[in-house]
Amino acid sequence: MSVVLHVRRLVANVVLTTSVPNGVQRTAHLVLSHATGSVLICAVQFYVDRSVHVCPVMNRVAPFFSAAISALQKCIECLSDEDKMDIVDYAMQRTLTEIPVGSEDISDKLITLDCGHVFTVETLDGHCQMTAYYEVDEMGSYTGMKAPPIDFQRPPSCLTCRSPITARRYGRILKRANLDILEQNVASIMSQRLADVIPAIETLSNDLAELEARAKELKVASGFECLPADEFEDLVKRRNGFMTEKVDEVLSHEMFIATSMVTRHGLSDPEAKSWMAIIVDLHRVYKKVANITTMRSAHVRAYELARSTLYRLELEHLAAEPPSEILRTHPECIAMRIVDRKIGQPPHKADRRYHLEAFILSVELRLMLGSIARSRFEALPMNSDEPEALHHRHVWYSFTLFIYQSCVVDCQKAITISHATSSSRLAARSASLMFCSDFEQFRFWMLEKRRHAFKSGTLADARDGLVAEVQAGKKKLKSRLKELEQSYFTSCPSSDPSQINEERQWFRWNCSAKIERCFTEYEKLEDYIMNEVVVYQPMSLQMKQDIVSALGFSYRGRFYNCINGHTFVITECGGVMQASQCPECRAPIGGGNHTSNTRAREYEDISRQHGGEASPWASVASA
């Protein structure tokens, strides 16, 4: 027992020894040699458990860094001769018997892994690449931490049996490798979820015409009420803030549920439910895509938590001890600069590719949604001057415009993220999609301006101005396409002709082709405004007969055509007594004294076949 007391007194309450048999002098000396500082390894905090016969000894060294060592040492004296012949120093190919027990050299210190295999600290340090995580001086001592490698790291494993190395000395390396595995898992999940929604998006694209037709035929019960006009403008201002609420996520799918269609877009509850019945499949797919953009890997979460914690601590430190530069610079900027220096590495970007792919898919889905909403808007009556009908059109106009604006905003977010992660291809795709979204918004806006000019009878005067706006938009798009192409090829320079040709082909198929379709639509829009070409579906003879029968004209009521061939009727006596405009083309119709109109002879012939009398107005010109 005196031996035990002697050991405890020498190690000054730092070493705990138990059950040392009396008279085992050699054992006590072995405990003493291992407990009086020989386990200090390179100023790194660690815990070493040494087993000498039945005498576990714990030596705790003052902490220097966050890394730690946990090693359960085997007693060399107790091992079998066969075990003593195991190689523990892979650098010098030394066996366990060749390792001096009382040596102070770091290369002679031993660590026993959980699997039971023993290696020198020098061997495991090299195997686990400690120099990639810690600064090392000329003497081989660790002096501080440094930023870990940026490429994918695998967990360290035993050199003999490949079991995982869990010694606390290599905790920083192990945690980094585990984070890489988690990040890879997140990327794999995101990739799989994106692959799952692609077929659904293709199905929606094929069914888009049917969805647009259903939107045009959407019926609303009589007596419905939208949000009052005075409250609607405030709602629009609040709603637009949701587009820029989060810089790294797309517009929430909750903006398109039935409740939001009432509370955030101003529709009546019955109409919102009918609308959701049309877009339910599209909304379900959009929800899946939007959820992908909210996924974060373990690296990103760890980085953001560390960054926010350090930022808070630095602000507290600046408040307690303000530096002289605080008079010239905001403390937030100073704190962020210090945080970036302390972290010493950028955020990880492995999952950003799938994140941006989800951004692009979400915009494409919203462009489909905008097309359906536009069909609904265009089906609403335009000629009514009732305040309720005008406000109803305005609500749908605002909602459709909101969809297109959100597409542009989210494309801008995707471009910013792409540039931050050096993803030149994704940046180019996002930019081209933004140009397409911008065109859809412009076209919707221009068509509505044309409708207002047509309704007010000022289309002839406004036509030149509208065409000039279309031409200016087309010219601007050409300039933006040229800038995008130059920017893309500047970001991926190469002297290899085959690679340059490959990049040009990729840009042509993934970016230029989409924008070229916009040029085609610009030309159609210009032609529509300039020429007012309206395409009508031909009416069958049976349909014309049904119209005549429904009106039931005999000697009252006559059919006429305007100068452009649009048919209209004059009731009562059927003679012309006042001037007006054609509801279709705004051409002058009517007149006075039962004259100056062109008769619709085909309808007149059908009317006479159904018992109608000939026109009593001999002065009326016939077609």
Side-chain angles (χ1 to χ4, degrees):
M1 186 60 66
S2 61
V3 175
V4 177
L5 295 176
H6 178 62
V7 172
R8 286 179 175 171
R9 186 166 54 253
L10 286 177
V11 298
N13 296 326
V14 177
V15 178
L16 175 62
T17 61
T18 59
S19 303
V20 180
N22 292 331
V24 188
Q25 186 69 30
R26 183 177 180 182
T27 300
H29 284 298
L30 187 59
V31 172
L32 180 61
S33 67
H34 281 279
T36 54
S38 62
V39 292
L40 181 61
I41 300 177
C42 302
V44 179
Q45 174 192 352
F46 63 94
Y47 299 86
V48 179
D49 297 334
R50 297 192 182 274
S51 175
V52 182
H53 291 288
V54 288
C55 307
V57 178
M58 177 68 72
N59 180 24
R60 176 164 182 162
V61 181
F64 288 86
F65 304 112
S66 60
I69 303 173
S70 178
L72 181 62
Q73 297 287 55
K74 288 185 177 180
C75 176
I76 299 177
E77 299 294 330
C78 299
L79 294 176
S80 64
D81 293 338
E82 183 180 356
D83 291 337
K84 291 179 181 179
M85 297 306 297
D86 291 341
I87 295 177
V88 296
D89 184 356
Y90 274 55
M92 303 300 295
Q93 291 295 301
R94 292 187 296 171
T95 62
L96 194 57
T97 56
E98 297 175 301
I99 304 298
V101 175
S103 174
E104 298 291 334
D105 192 351
I106 181 63
S107 61
D108 295 333
K109 301 304 173 183
L110 301 175
I111 293 181
T112 303
L113 303 179
D114 290 345
C115 59
H117 295 113
V118 182
F119 301 97
T120 62
V121 171
E122 185 180 37
T123 297
L124 289 178
D125 283 1
H127 175 62
C128 296
Q129 299 179 346
M130 285 281 281
T131 55
Y133 293 82
Y134 296 95
E135 299 288 351
V136 183
D137 61 15
E138 297 178 354
M139 302 300 296
S141 300
Y142 298 110
T143 59
M145 293 187 297
K146 64 181 180 181
I150 61 174
D151 53 343
F152 180 79
Q153 300 295 306
R154 296 185 181 277
S157 58
C158 174
L159 293 163
T160 302
C161 65
R162 297 302 175 186
S163 298
I165 295 177
T166 58
R168 294 183 64 184
R169 178 179 179 86
Y170 310 107
R172 189 165 183 241
I173 300 169
L174 181 63
K175 291 176 181 178
R176 166 58 199 274
N178 289 337
L179 285 175
D180 278 356
I181 293 175
L182 291 174
E183 184 177 33
Q184 194 175 52
N185 291 341
V186 170
S188 177
I189 293 172
M190 295 174 72
S191 175
Q192 183 60 46
R193 291 185 179 180
L194 285 173
D196 291 341
V197 300
I198 294 298
I201 294 177
E202 293 177 352
T203 301
L204 288 171
S205 179
N206 295 332
D207 296 341
L208 184 59
E210 179 184 350
L211 295 175
E212 291 174 349
R214 290 177 59 188
K216 290 180 179 179
E217 299 172 358
L218 181 62
K219 303 297 182 183
V220 180
S222 59
F224 75 94
E225 293 184 0
C226 295
L227 188 71
D230 55 344
E231 300 178 19
F232 182 73
E233 297 305 324
D234 293 335
L235 180 144
V236 170
K237 294 178 181 179
R238 295 194 304 270
R239 179 186 65 188
N240 290 341
F242 288 102
M243 290 189 287
T244 56
E245 187 177 22
K246 296 182 179 180
V247 297
D248 57 350
E249 294 181 13
V250 300
L251 185 68
S252 173
H253 69 91
E254 294 182 354
M255 292 297 294
F256 303 116
I257 61 177
T259 303
S260 296
M261 294 302 297
V262 177
T263 60
R264 294 176 179 173
H265 302 296
L267 295 181
S268 63
D269 186 64
E271 188 175 18
K273 292 179 179 178
S274 300
W275 168 253
M276 284 303 301
I278 297 174
I279 67 165
V280 58
D281 293 333
L282 191 150
H283 178 265
R284 181 168 55 250
V285 177
Y286 181 81
K287 180 180 179 180
K288 293 180 180 179
V289 174
N291 287 338
I292 295 175
T293 65
T294 62
M295 296 181 66
R296 294 292 181 272
S297 69
H299 274 310
V300 174
R301 290 196 299 269
Y303 182 89
E304 291 175 349
L305 288 173
R307 188 180 178 89
S308 61
T309 301
L310 287 174
Y311 179 72
R312 176 177 55 81
L313 294 175
E314 288 301 328
L315 283 179
E316 293 176 356
H317 178 71
L318 290 174
E321 300 179 11
S324 58
E325 63 174 325
I326 203 169
L327 299 176
R328 305 185 305 272
T329 310
H330 291 292
E332 292 81 3
C333 298
I334 300 175
M336 188 57 66
R337 185 173 66 248
I338 297 174
V339 167
D340 290 338
R341 184 171 65 248
K342 285 188 174 182
I343 290 181
Q345 58 178 318
H348 293 267
K349 309 168 185 177
D351 58 345
R352 283 307 194 186
R353 171 193 169 188
Y354 307 103
H355 189 207
L356 291 169
E357 290 285 356
F359 258 85
I360 292 173
L361 289 179
S362 74
V363 172
E364 291 178 349
L365 284 168
R366 267 176 288 164
L367 289 177
M368 295 184 195
L369 182 64
S371 180
I372 300 171
R374 187 181 65 193
S375 298
R376 167 60 178 162
F377 168 75
E378 292 175 348
L380 296 175
M382 186 185 70
N383 296 326
S384 176
D385 293 327
E386 296 182 3
E388 294 80 5
L390 293 175
H391 178 57
H392 189 208
R393 278 182 58 85
H394 179 62
V395 169
W396 274 100
Y397 173 80
S398 176
F399 172 62
T400 308
L401 199 62
F402 170 79
I403 295 174
Y404 290 135
Q405 289 173 344
S406 71
C407 292
V408 175
V409 170
D410 282 350
C411 284
Q412 292 172 341
K413 294 179 185 178
I415 293 172
T416 302
I417 297 173
S418 300
H419 287 318
T421 55
S422 302
S423 303
S424 56
R425 285 193 170 186
L426 288 170
R429 288 176 59 194
S430 301
S432 61
L433 190 58
M434 183 181 69
F435 297 162
C436 295
S437 302
D438 200 27
F439 165 73
E440 293 292 344
Q441 179 181 342
F442 175 79
R443 177 169 61 179
F444 179 68
W445 178 58
M446 289 298 298
L447 289 175
E448 182 61 9
K449 287 184 68 174
R450 182 197 175 280
R451 292 189 193 99
H452 279 293
F454 178 80
K455 183 178 180 180
S456 61
T458 60
L459 180 59
D461 298 331
R463 182 179 289 113
D464 292 340
L466 295 176
V467 170
E469 288 187 58
V470 174
Q471 292 174 345
K474 183 179 179 181
K475 183 178 179 181
K476 181 180 178 181
L477 181 59
K478 287 183 178 180
S479 175
R480 297 174 77 181
L481 174 59
K482 185 177 180 180
E483 292 176 359
L484 175 61
E485 187 173 5
Q486 292 176 347
S487 174
Y488 174 72
F489 288 109
T490 302
S491 64
C492 50
S494 175
S495 57
D496 185 1
S498 61
Q499 186 175 358
I500 294 175
N501 185 54
E502 180 183 351
E503 293 294 341
R504 290 188 181 279
Q505 186 175 2
W506 180 91
F507 186 85
R508 182 168 60 253
W509 283 105
N510 292 275
C511 301
S512 298
K514 292 182 179 180
I515 300 176
E516 288 295 337
R517 287 194 289 269
C518 291
F519 288 135
T520 303
E521 294 300 321
Y522 263 115
E523 294 173 358
K524 291 181 180 179
L525 180 61
E526 181 180 352
D527 186 65
Y528 174 74
I529 295 175
M530 178 63 72
N531 300 320
E532 300 185 69
V533 177
V534 182
V535 179
Y536 293 94
Q537 183 177 358
M539 296 179 63
S540 64
L541 178 61
Q542 181 62 46
M543 295 174 66
K544 294 177 181 179
Q545 291 175 348
D546 292 341
I547 292 174
V548 172
S549 299
L551 292 174
F553 291 155
S554 56
Y555 63 90
R556 288 188 175 186
R558 292 292 178 264
F559 292 88
Y560 297 90
N561 286 338
C562 74
I563 58 176
N564 293 319
H566 300 131
T567 303
F568 63 97
V569 298
I570 298 178
T571 58
E572 304 303 330
C573 68
V576 180
M577 293 301 296
Q578 65 182 23
S580 183
Q581 291 180 329
C582 174
E584 289 290 336
C585 64
R586 296 294 175 177
I589 59 175
N593 299 322
H594 307 109
T595 60
S596 71
N597 267 291
T598 303
R599 300 293 297 276
R601 175 168 294 182
E602 184 178 10
Y603 281 94
E604 289 291 325
D605 292 342
I606 296 174
S607 177
R608 283 195 292 271
Q609 293 173 7
H610 286 73
E613 298 182 3
S615 173
W617 313 111
S619 61
V620 176
S622 60

